[in-house]
Amino acid sequence: MRYNPLGRTGLFVSELCLGTMTFGGSEGMWRQIGALQQLDAEKLIGQAVDAGINFIDTADIYSEGLSEQITGQALKNLKIPRDKVVVATKVFGATGEGPNAQGLSRSHILDGVKASLKRLQLDHIDLYQVHGFDPATPVEETLHALDQLVRHGHVRYVGVSNWAAWQIVKARDISGRLGLARFESLQAYYSVAGRDLERELLPMLKSEGVGLMVWSPLAGGFLSGKYPRNPAQGQAEEGSRRMAFDFPPVNKEKAWDCIDVMRPIAEAQGVSVARVALAWLLHQPQVTSVIVGAKRPEQLADNIAATQVTLSPDDLQKINDASSLPPEYPGWMFERQGEYRRQQLDAAHAPRTGPAA
C-alpha cells in the first residue's frame, strides 16, 4: 500500500480509501446500494486496516446517518488507534425536515459537524468535505464556516466534492485573499468508463496542487465485467448494484469496448477485470486515493489486490485508446496552436550533442 500526501498538505493517505456507502441501508435507495450492519461492517473495516488502508470515507446522508454511526462504533469496537486512521465525511444533503436542514449555510454546516462528530464518536474529523455546490448560499459564507471549524479544532482539513473547476478555483482564491482554510482535495467521479474530469478538473488539480479522491472507480460496478453485452453471454448475478441502482450514467457501448480491451490484460495476469480498471486509476499521476466500497470481504480483497497489478506502457496505451474522450473545444485548439511552442520547449530542454558554442 502506498501513501500519498493529500494535496499540498503534510497529511498522508493510503492510495485506496474504504468507502462506507454500503453500511446501514435499510430501505429505498440506500438498501439497494448496501445494507451491511455492524458486525459485517466491522469485518470490512478491520480487513481494510490490516491491509494498510488508513483512509475511510463516509457522509452524513449515507443511510440517513447510519453509515457514520456504524463506522464510528466499528472504530471503537475494533480499538483502532485514532492516529492510525484518517476519517473523512461530508455535509450538504438534507438531514432533516425544513429548508435549513440542507445546503452549505453556516447554520447547516455548524449543525452538521456536531451531528457527524456525535455519530462518529470522534473529537475531530480529519477531512470535512462539502458534498455538492449550493447555489443558494454565498461561497464566502460557506468558507468562513469551514474555516471556523478548522480554527476550533473540530476539523483538520476541508475538501470539496462534485464542483466544477471554476467554482473550486474561485473558492480557493477567496480563501487565499481572506486567509481562510482552503479546499485541499476534490472527491469526484472518475473511471475508465467516465473520464470527463480530464477536460477541466484534472488540469486544474495539477495546476493548483489539489488532491483527487475518486468515487465510483468501477462505474457503479459496471467495470467489474459481470454485465454482459448481450443476453447470450449470460446475465449479472441477482442483487448486483447496477441491476437495482443504475448510477452513475455510463455510455454502456463504450464501457463494453473498454472491458473487451481490459479482459485479455486481466487474463494474462490472472486477475479480475475490476482489478485492471482500478489499477488504471492507480497509474494516473493526479489520483491521490481511490475509494473502494464492498458488500463482501472477497470483493474488498479483490479491490485491495489492485495495488499489486502493474500495467505496462502497452497495456495503458490500449486502455487509453479505448476509453479516451473525443476532441472538444477549446482542447483541440490548444493542441493546434500550441504545437510549435511545445517543439521550441522540447528543443530548449534537449541535451547538447555537439561542442559548446
Side-chain angles (χ1 to χ4, degrees), residues 34 37 41 62 87 132 139 182 195 239 250 261 263 280 308 340 354:
Q37 298 307 306
Y62 291 172
V87 178
V139 174
R182 66 186 183 185
R195 297 174 60 178
V250 168
V261 169
R263 196 179 300 280
W280 179 85
Q308 306 301 316
Y340 177 68

Side-chain angles (χ1 to χ4, degrees), residues 6 9 25 35 87 111 117 119 178 208 221 228 250 270 277 304 324 341:
L6 184 73
T9 76
V87 178
D111 288 344
L117 286 169
R119 285 190 291 265
L178 300 181
E208 302 300 310
V250 168
I304 291 171
S324 62
R341 297 293 278 174

Side-chain angles (χ1 to χ4, degrees), residues 76-104:
K76 182 178 181 180
N77 291 349
L78 294 170
K79 296 181 172 56
I80 297 174
R82 182 65 185 89
D83 61 358
K84 193 174 181 179
V85 288
V86 175
V87 178
T89 192
K90 313 179 196 74
V91 63
F92 171 72
T95 53
E97 300 294 333
N100 294 315
Q102 59 188 301
L104 297 177

Side-chain angles (χ1 to χ4, degrees), residues 111-155:
D111 288 344
V113 77
K114 290 179 182 177
S116 288
L117 286 169
K118 183 177 181 180
R119 285 190 291 265
L120 289 165
Q121 301 183 60
L122 300 176
D123 63 356
H124 73 273
I125 293 163
D126 296 292
L127 177 64
Y128 200 48
Q129 305 157 97
V130 297
H131 207 167
F133 182 75
D134 182 2
T137 302
V139 174
E140 290 85 351
E141 178 178 341
T142 297
L143 296 175
H144 274 291
L146 294 172
D147 182 73
Q148 179 179 332
L149 298 183
V150 174
R151 293 180 185 275
H152 288 182
H154 301 308
V155 168

Side-chain angles (χ1 to χ4, degrees), residues 11-280:
L11 183 70
F12 280 73
V13 296
S14 50
E15 61 184 330
L16 292 183
C17 172
L18 180 65
T20 64
M21 196 184 249
T22 57
F23 293 2
S26 58
E27 59 184 24
M29 177 186 74
W30 300 113
R31 183 170 185 82
Q32 294 170 357
I33 293 172
L36 296 182
Q37 298 307 306
Q38 194 65 50
L39 290 179
D40 288 330
E42 287 178 14
K43 290 178 183 177
L44 291 186
I45 290 177
Q47 180 183 356
V49 171
D50 288 345
I53 292 176
N54 76 340
F55 202 10
I56 299 175
D57 178 73
T58 186
D60 57 5
I61 62 166
Y62 291 172
S63 299
E64 300 178 343
L66 275 175
S67 174
E68 284 186 330
Q69 185 176 320
I70 290 171
T71 298
Q73 190 63 45
L75 294 174
K76 182 178 181 180
N77 291 349
L78 294 170
K79 296 181 172 56
I80 297 174
R82 182 65 185 89
D83 61 358
K84 193 174 181 179
V85 288
V86 175
V87 178
T89 192
K90 313 179 196 74
V91 63
F92 171 72
T95 53
E97 300 294 333
N100 294 315
Q102 59 188 301
L104 297 177
S105 66
R106 175 185 296 275
S107 175
H108 186 57
I109 288 174
L110 296 186
D111 288 344
V113 77
K114 290 179 182 177
S116 288
L117 286 169
K118 183 177 181 180
R119 285 190 291 265
L120 289 165
Q121 301 183 60
L122 300 176
D123 63 356
H124 73 273
I125 293 163
D126 296 292
L127 177 64
Y128 200 48
Q129 305 157 97
V130 297
H131 207 167
F133 182 75
D134 182 2
T137 302
V139 174
E140 290 85 351
E141 178 178 341
T142 297
L143 296 175
H144 274 291
L146 294 172
D147 182 73
Q148 179 179 332
L149 298 183
V150 174
R151 293 180 185 275
H152 288 182
H154 301 308
V155 168
R156 298 287 170 84
Y157 301 95
V158 293
V160 62
S161 181
N162 303 321
W163 280 29
W166 71 266
Q167 294 168 331
I168 298 171
V169 170
K170 177 180 178 180
R172 282 174 57 90
D173 178 66
I174 293 171
S175 294
R177 285 190 286 107
L178 300 181
L180 306 175
R182 66 186 183 185
F183 291 137
E184 300 292 354
S185 62
L186 166 68
Q187 186 172 147
Y189 170 56
Y190 190 25
S191 76
V192 170
R195 297 174 60 178
D196 296 4
L197 91 170
E198 292 179 2
R199 296 202 188 279
E200 298 287 346
L201 283 164
L202 212 59
M204 180 278 295
L205 297 176
K206 183 177 181 181
S207 170
E208 302 300 310
V210 177
L212 174 60
M213 298 167 62
V214 174
W215 62 260
S216 204
L218 297 178
F222 197 91
L223 294 175
S224 64
K226 62 188 178 185
Y227 298 92
R229 190 188 291 262
N230 60 68
Q233 296 173 307
Q235 60 183 16
E237 63 184 89
E238 191 69 26
S240 297
R241 175 177 162 182
R242 276 256 172 204
M243 299 289 285
F245 187 60
D246 197 15
F247 183 84
V250 168
N251 180 333
K252 292 186 171 70
E253 287 301 323
K254 187 167 185 177
W256 275 316
D257 289 343
C258 294
I259 291 170
D260 288 343
V261 169
M262 291 189 293
R263 196 179 300 280
I265 296 173
E267 291 173 351
Q269 298 197 37
V271 302
S272 66
V273 171
R275 282 195 217 178
V276 173
L278 292 173
W280 179 85

